[in-house]
Amino acid sequence: SAIYASAYQGEVEELLRLLRAEGLNPMMVSQSARPGAAGPVYEVRLPEKEVPRAKPLLQFFLLKSAKTPS
C-alpha cells in the first residue's frame, strides 16, 4: 500500500533508503502527470505487513523534512 507520495524524486529516494536501512522492502512507483499537474508523482509503497513497522520511520522522516531551513 502507498505510504507516501511526492513530486520530488530525491525526497522519495531518501525515504526509500531510510526504510531499506531498517530491513523493509519499499518500492517506488512513478505516476505520469495528470492533466493540469506540474509533473510526475512518485509514490512509496510497502507490502501491507510492513506498514506498521514503517509508520514510526515515516513520522521521523516527515518531521525531519518539515524543518524550516535556518
Side-chain angles (χ1 to χ4, degrees):
S1 66
I3 60 163
Y4 184 74
S6 173
Y8 301 105
Q9 188 174 357
E11 210 172 80
V12 169
E13 286 172 353
E14 186 183 340
L15 180 57
L16 290 174
R17 281 193 296 275
L18 183 68
L19 294 170
R20 286 184 181 130
E22 293 297 318
L24 298 170
N25 300 290
M27 169 174 93
M28 179 170 72
V29 178
S30 76
Q31 299 182 332
S32 55
R34 292 175 303 285
V41 170
Y42 303 96
E43 272 187 3
V44 175
R45 294 188 181 183
L46 274 173
E48 201 62 50
K49 66 184 195 316
E50 294 184 358
V51 171
R53 277 176 58 205
K55 285 231 159 66
L57 293 167
L58 184 59
Q59 291 300 329
F60 166 77
F61 175 77
L62 292 172
L63 284 171
K64 191 171 76 82
S65 59
K67 279 190 202 151
T68 52
S70 50

